[in-house]
Amino acid sequence: MKLNKFLFAFFIILIFSLVFFIFSILLFMPTNTVGNSVPKIQNKSNNQIKNDENLNYKIINISKKHKATESYLKYPKFENDALNKNLYSHIQKIISDFESEYQHYEKDTQLKSPKLKLETDIGFFKDNIVSIRFFINRNYLGYPNPVKFYECYLFDLNTGNEINVFDLFEDYSYFLYNKSTEYFKNNYGISINKKSENYYDIAPKMENYTKIFIKNDFFEFLIFDYKKNEDVILRLKLEEINPFLKKIQQTKNTQDLTTFPKTIDDNKNNKFEQLQTTQQITEQTTQQTENPYNIDSNKPMIALTFDDGPNGKITNKILDILEENNSRATFFVVGRRLDKDAEVLKRMDKLGNQIGNHTFNHKNLAQLSKEQITFEIEKINEKLQNYIGKKSQIVRIPYGATNEVVLESVPYPIILWNVDTRDWESRNTDSIIKEIRKKAKDGSIILMHDLYETTAKACEIIIPELVKQGYQLVTIDELMKYRGIELKSGIKYYNATKK
Ligand code: NI
């Protein structure tokens, strides 16, 4: 009995000490903060490096509910209120873009709880600069913005003002371009040249290399990996980029800043002029015959429309299919893609396809002022005039988002659709085909996007099929003309079915 009591006491002590041991381990373990704990202090003797030791910022970790979406945010709050305000305005923009996109596609999507997650990387540089990188993750698969992406900003810690990369660095674009080509060579064995499909994404222009992040002794930049279809981060040692740092001068040297962008614009203008003259000639010759494609107004017809391009290979593939099937379509192009795919745009036009205006930046026009809307509509027309010698006479509003201001400010007919393939959502060839087979009929306007391989593949099947069924695949102008519908500014058109 005595021994049993002793053993019992021994076990009690053992258990207590074990519990105490485990507890103390848990207590002293570093807290596992995902992503952005306060950066570790590194004892490096490079004077370019700013230790984070004395910088005071807090990490704000909150979730917010908006009208339809929720966001989970993790971002820093500094001692400088101006900086906080500038930083937060970027966050608000990211949230409101997500919210408005979701609102637009709400009817179509199955997703019940759209969530946005934003995390922040923070780095310090040169005593007074903070480098911020947001990693944004959205569980809602809406076009046009990707599911995962990054945004980068630099701020002056003293004034709180945002700093432009152009103010901080000399033109490092050739250097980063070479690093990017190395990346494609090493990872995929691809040699990038001017004819490569992603050349314009990584071409040696400063505009392609503004998403940067600097922390401790490294410099990171983002490029689009078209094989993975996502942004990737390429890392350099800070000392590799040091030669491009502008001399730290308190008096701002404006001369440096203006020379680089100016030369680029000059080149562009010359190019535009050349293109314009050649295109004007082709336009004159194509307008000679009244009905060059022998469209029969008594036979059924359908207008296929493709939004958000032009988009290199994929648009070209769709153009091939249309051409092979003696058919045409309407492409509602986005202005900021035109320089990148000018050749594709010209080919579109040359083959008799119609080019529609899908605005310059694909913004939600319902959130813009009259002046901003006019810019979005007219800026793209300037480019079209330069490339194909004519403006677009029809508009498709991004997200279909209109209000009174939008309708008043858009001096063109607004073309919508009555068959939505939802190709951006499904990215599934079979379901795109199924949707068209089910809903397309005489007078239909079908919505697709020349962004996805799956859409191009669906076209490969559905275009010859529709033609075989006796449909004439025509442009919006042709459809309306041969159905006797007169297009009027500020009016929405969904189809041209016979009454
Ligand atoms: Ni669009």
Side-chain angles (χ1 to χ4, degrees):
M1 276 310 258
K2 227 179 181 178
L3 189 71
N4 277 354
K5 263 188 187 169
F6 175 75
L7 269 176
F8 181 73
F10 176 76
F11 274 114
I12 292 291
I13 290 165
L14 191 73
I15 285 162
F16 265 99
S17 49
L18 256 174
V19 166
F20 179 76
F21 180 68
I22 291 167
F23 190 73
S24 50
I25 283 183
L26 282 176
L27 199 69
F28 291 106
M29 226 165 61
T31 42
N32 184 20
T33 43
V34 189
N36 302 293
S37 51
V38 178
K40 271 183 196 154
I41 299 152
Q42 294 197 352
N43 294 321
K44 292 262 170 73
S45 57
N46 186 335
N47 55 14
Q48 293 282 13
I49 299 162
K50 175 79 190 171
N51 283 342
D52 301 340
E53 200 177 15
N54 301 315
L55 285 158
N56 291 320
Y57 64 86
K58 281 190 290 191
I59 293 289
I60 307 290
N61 208 338
I62 50 166
S63 61
K64 285 190 163 193
K65 269 199 175 0
H66 314 284
K67 262 190 205 155
T69 63
E70 276 175 63
S71 58
Y72 298 85
L73 311 171
K74 206 168 193 181
Y75 62 92
K77 192 179 177 189
F78 295 90
E79 287 182 331
N80 185 324
D81 284 339
L83 199 168
N84 290 333
K85 208 178 148 206
N86 287 334
L87 184 66
Y88 199 69
S89 75
H90 286 298
I91 297 175
Q92 268 174 325
K93 176 78 172 54
I94 291 163
I95 292 171
S96 70
D97 282 352
F98 180 59
E99 176 79 18
S100 63
E101 248 175 73
Y102 178 76
Q103 294 277 9
H104 173 61
Y105 285 118
E106 194 179 15
K107 288 164 261 145
D108 297 336
T109 184
Q110 301 298 310
L111 188 70
K112 290 285 179 276
S113 53
K115 289 186 184 73
L116 174 119
K117 238 167 119 183
L118 180 145
E119 296 198 340
T120 318
D121 289 323
I122 307 154
F124 296 95
F125 180 59
K126 277 184 27 164
D127 290 328
N128 67 324
I129 295 169
V130 60
S131 177
I132 299 282
R133 182 171 61 201
F134 290 147
F135 174 63
I136 299 136
N137 194 334
R138 321 184 321 163
N139 71 337
Y140 159 58
L141 295 165
Y143 185 76
N145 291 326
V147 176
K148 289 177 184 176
F149 60 103
Y150 297 89
E151 296 293 349
C152 301
Y153 313 94
L154 298 164
F155 295 96
D156 185 318
L157 277 167
N158 300 325
T159 64
N161 291 339
E162 194 160 344
I163 300 171
N164 196 315
V165 254
F166 298 90
D167 294 344
L168 203 58
F169 293 99
E170 306 284 348
D171 184 359
Y172 53 45
S173 61
Y174 277 92
F175 182 68
L176 297 192
Y177 169 71
N178 286 333
K179 295 286 171 189
S180 306
T181 56
E182 258 171 48
Y183 169 83
F184 285 101
K185 184 98 208 162
N186 295 341
N187 285 277
Y188 304 109
I190 299 168
S191 308
I192 302 289
N193 58 43
K194 283 190 179 177
K195 283 185 177 159
S196 305
E197 71 175 278
N198 69 329
Y199 178 74
Y200 289 95
D201 286 333
I202 59 164
K205 286 186 198 171
M206 277 298 267
E207 300 97 287
N208 285 339
Y209 294 101
T210 54
K211 283 193 180 181
I212 63 158
F213 179 66
I214 305 165
K215 183 172 181 174
N216 298 334
D217 52 356
F218 60 79
F219 171 97
E220 292 180 334
F221 64 104
L222 284 161
I223 57 162
F224 184 70
D225 180 333
Y226 70 111
K227 291 280 168 191
K228 281 189 190 161
N229 198 28
E230 62 185 37
D231 281 337
V232 290
I233 295 172
L234 301 190
R235 180 182 283 199
L236 302 174
K237 283 194 179 125
L238 190 57
E239 56 215 49
E240 289 181 79
I241 208 79
N242 268 345
F244 297 97
L245 259 178
K246 287 194 171 173
K247 296 281 173 294
I248 319 154
Q249 281 167 351
Q250 294 310 341
T251 49
K252 258 197 179 165
N253 189 347
T254 46
Q255 218 176 6
D256 295 18
L257 303 179
T258 47
T259 44
F260 174 69
K262 240 187 186 169
T263 49
I264 281 195
D265 280 344
D266 288 348
N267 286 340
K268 265 190 188 161
N269 287 340
N270 287 339
K271 222 195 220 162
F272 283 166
E273 275 162 31
Q274 283 166 14
L275 292 167
Q276 202 174 338
T277 47
T278 51
Q279 281 304 331
Q280 274 166 349
I281 297 160
T282 53
E283 195 203 349
Q284 280 161 10
T285 51
T286 47
Q287 278 178 355
Q288 277 165 4
T289 38
E290 259 294 285
N291 187 0
Y293 302 103
N294 296 318
I295 297 162
D296 186 340
S297 57
N298 295 315
K299 285 184 182 163
M301 53 184 96
I302 283 173
L304 300 178
T305 64
F306 296 91
D307 286 11
D308 302 340
N311 184 30
K313 251 183 170 173
I314 288 169
T315 309
N316 261 328
K317 190 172 171 187
I318 294 169
L319 290 175
D320 289 343
I321 301 161
L322 288 165
E323 191 182 12
E324 281 160 22
N325 289 280
N326 234 332
S327 299
R328 289 159 316 286
T330 304
F331 291 84
F332 287 93
V333 297
V334 178
R336 67 184 142 86
R337 288 184 183 263
L338 296 186
D339 292 338
K340 190 181 156 189
D341 276 319
E343 292 308 313
V344 184
L345 176 79
K346 284 187 261 172
R347 181 170 177 231
M348 251 177 214
D349 179 55
K350 212 173 153 189
L351 292 173
N353 298 289
Q354 188 175 357
I355 288 146
N357 183 338
H358 199 35
T359 74
F360 196 73
N361 285 304
H362 203 280
K363 285 181 179 165
N364 183 340
L365 298 191
Q367 294 177 344
L368 303 184
S369 69
K370 201 172 158 63
E371 290 73 30
Q372 288 170 313
I373 295 167
T374 305
F375 171 87
E376 287 293 324
I377 300 292
E378 292 308 330
K379 179 79 183 158
I380 182 166
N381 271 336
E382 266 172 45
K383 280 196 181 280
L384 290 174
Q385 184 73 46
N386 282 327
Y387 284 128
I388 58 169
K390 61 190 168 198
K391 291 181 180 180
S392 166
Q393 299 301 325
I394 50 171
V395 166
R396 180 167 280 165
I397 311 283
Y399 318 109
T402 55
N403 60 18
E404 266 178 40
V405 183
V406 174
L407 294 179
E408 277 168 23
S409 314
V410 176
Y412 299 99
I414 295 165
I415 309 298
L416 294 149
W417 57 87
N418 68 342
V419 178
D420 187 352
T421 60
R422 293 154 65 160
D423 58 340
W424 57 270
E425 185 187 34
S426 73
R427 315 274 175 100
N428 181 305
T429 302
D430 288 341
S431 89
I432 298 165
I433 294 169
K434 234 168 142 183
E435 209 61 31
I436 296 175
R437 279 182 187 150
K438 204 164 75 187
K439 292 181 182 160
K441 55 179 186 177
D442 184 27
S444 288
I445 299 176
I446 300 177
L447 170 65
M448 285 184 267
H449 296 81
D450 48 336
L451 295 175
Y452 316 112
E453 190 63 45
T454 43
T455 301
K457 279 197 177 127
C459 286
E460 222 169 351
I461 293 162
I462 203 72
I463 287 177
E465 188 178 307
L466 290 170
V467 170
K468 212 173 160 195
Q469 287 171 4
Y471 288 108
Q472 305 170 91
L473 302 183
V474 297
T475 65
I476 293 293
D477 270 0
E478 290 163 346
L479 178 71
M480 297 302 174
K481 184 181 167 191
Y482 291 100
R483 283 285 177 264
I485 296 167
E486 197 194 330
L487 293 176
K488 287 176 188 156
S489 298
I491 305 290
K492 296 178 188 175
Y493 298 85
Y494 295 87
N495 60 57
T497 45
K498 276 181 188 161
K499 278 151 211 150

